[in-house]
Amino acid sequence: MRSLLVSCLFASLALSTVVPRARQKVDYSGFKVLRVSLPEQRGDVEAKIEELAAHVLNPGKVEHLDVVVSPDKVDAVKKLVATSKVINEDVGAALAEEGEIKKAEFSVAAVPSESWFTAYHAYADHITFLRDLQAGYTGQSEIITTGTSVQGRTLTGIHIWGSGGKGSKPAVLFHGTVHAREWISSMTVEYMAWQLLTKYSSNATVKALVDKFDLYIIPIVNPDGFVYSQTSDRLWRKNRQTVSGNSCVGRDINRNWPYKWEVPGGASTNPCSETYKGQAAGDSPENKGLRAHVDSLRDSRGLSLYIDFHSYGQYMLWPYGYDCNLVVHNDAQHRSLATRAAAAIRAVSGTRYTIGPACSTLYATTGDSTDYTDAVGNSTYSYTYELRDTGSYGFTLPANQIQPTVRETWEGVVSMLKDV
């Protein structure tokens, strides 16, 4: 990519004063993933499991928890739970199967090829991908920024428009990599941008969709956490914000949105938890920037569709997360769009999605993005996509599944964009 050298140089200079030296990378060799069912009388069992586990991969799940456990603590975890099953014998081996982070190669071509979606990439190369993609379509796209991270990285995305001109149509907004370890979401969101721009002049469906909306696509909204997951701890989830008086680091950006943040039960007040909500609603710098962007889209042409791309589990969810007894006013329409999108995904490769309101279908979440974009951002439709798979690999999806995942997801997104 032509701008790689320059962008990497500036990134290095800009971050040298704000990014602390990474610790030695966590070695997960021999660690297991256990799927455990909690006893009926839970008490503080879940808290004890969280203390023993290296990571809880699906915090908040009611039916079962997937936990990463070191070999010496497996028996202790099993004693606490009703049932347990090993779903990954060796996390270190799974990481090796995921594939090495591929360094982008220099090219005189302005537009990246589809081969980009065959490997995982370093953070700096993701920024270069966006800039090189945009450089090929300067008449209908621009690089956008939506604030900065704790460590000073800019939240970078791309704005795409069609024949109506910039800013003339209702907005569509895609977010990726809210949770640092969900690398497949970065690749999937980038694939949306790549398809919309590279196929605009040759595909009538794509042209019609781009002409219908202003599309705002931000592949990595948690850059500090993403970098940390690449350099220090592959299974890191949160951002890298410190907590005064506590040695634990990070807020869950998707429990930090200032709508129903204060409701108990859908996030944690423990700074060491995977779902730590923060000390105050919207107190992460990443959320401040994302929220300002949502509000600005609401106040201009309006927000028609919001999708927050996550992994894993193969779910398509919509509001509300904070109360399992509530349904959004256009619940039937949300279900209709999701039903057709799930069918479109299944038609590509047989991948099946579970659809439904977030709280009643998966688990309670408070201060999450889809509740905010619906209730405050006035988005007509708000969804969370939980991408492949259902736990065999979890967050460490092998590189050979990147293309199948992004291609099937594209068909689901096209279905939704047609219906909105």
Side-chain angles (χ1 to χ4, degrees), residues 113-339:
S113 73
E114 196 168 4
S115 65
W116 170 262
F117 303 99
T118 60
Y120 295 106
H121 304 275
Y123 171 71
D125 291 353
H126 282 281
I127 302 303
T128 301
F129 168 87
L130 281 182
R131 296 192 180 281
D132 283 354
L133 178 63
Q134 190 276 329
Y137 302 93
T138 56
Q140 64 176 127
S141 67
E142 64 181 351
I143 295 296
I144 59 171
T145 60
T146 57
T148 56
S149 68
V150 173
Q151 295 175 345
R153 294 181 174 89
T154 302
L155 277 60
T156 304
I158 189 167
H159 172 202
I160 298 169
W161 60 86
S163 58
K166 174 182 172 181
S168 63
K169 299 296 173 65
V172 169
L173 176 61
F174 298 155
H175 285 169
T177 330
V178 175
H179 295 139
R181 58 198 179 192
E182 298 169 10
W183 293 4
I184 188 61
S185 70
S186 317
M187 306 301 296
T188 301
V189 175
E190 286 169 351
Y191 191 74
M192 303 301 119
W194 185 84
Q195 284 277 49
L196 290 165
L197 284 173
T198 64
K199 303 297 175 61
Y200 178 80
S201 61
S202 61
N203 185 297
T205 297
V206 172
K207 185 179 189 305
L209 296 177
V210 174
D211 288 346
K212 184 179 178 183
F213 300 108
D214 273 66
L215 298 112
Y216 300 83
I217 298 172
I218 309 171
I220 302 173
V221 303
N222 180 9
D224 298 348
F226 182 66
V227 170
Y228 192 78
S229 76
Q230 293 193 322
T231 60
S232 298
D233 185 347
R234 175 62 186 88
L235 296 178
W236 184 258
R237 171 182 167 98
K238 300 181 286 183
N239 75 354
R240 295 296 298 165
Q241 193 168 355
T242 57
V243 181
S244 179
N246 195 290
S247 61
C248 292
V249 175
R251 283 157 172 72
D252 183 342
I253 298 172
N254 203 36
R255 302 294 187 276
N256 193 237
W257 289 80
Y259 179 75
K260 302 302 180 182
W261 176 90
E262 72 286 352
V263 174
S268 177
T269 58
N270 176 5
C272 300
S273 170
E274 301 271 21
T275 60
Y276 177 54
K277 67 196 299 184
Q279 293 175 299
D283 69 347
S284 69
E286 295 89 352
N287 184 267
K288 288 182 173 70
L290 297 173
R291 185 172 77 245
H293 188 227
V294 168
D295 292 352
S296 72
L297 296 178
R298 175 200 62 200
D299 296 340
S300 54
R301 302 290 297 184
L303 186 55
S304 290
L305 173 66
Y306 172 75
I307 304 178
D308 199 356
F309 291 87
H310 289 255
S311 71
Y312 57 92
Q314 295 168 202
Y315 289 93
M316 207 172 287
L317 308 169
W318 58 88
Y320 292 105
Y322 76 92
D323 189 330
C324 294
N325 296 312
L326 287 180
V327 293
V328 69
H329 73 280
N330 58 347
D331 178 77
Q333 292 90 337
H334 269 89
R335 184 174 296 278
S336 178
L337 261 68
T339 298

Side-chain angles (χ1 to χ4, degrees), residues 38-39 42-53 56 58-62 64-65 67 80:
L38 301 180
R42 293 190 176 199
D44 59 352
V45 169
E46 196 165 350
K48 289 179 179 178
I49 290 173
E50 193 159 346
E51 289 178 8
L52 289 168
V56 178
N58 56 344
K61 186 79 172 177
V62 175
H64 62 261
L65 293 178
V67 294
L80 291 171

Side-chain angles (χ1 to χ4, degrees), residues 35 84 92 104 110 215 227 265 297 371 385 398:
R35 178 161 288 175
S84 65
L215 298 112
V227 170
L297 296 178
D371 283 5
Y385 276 41

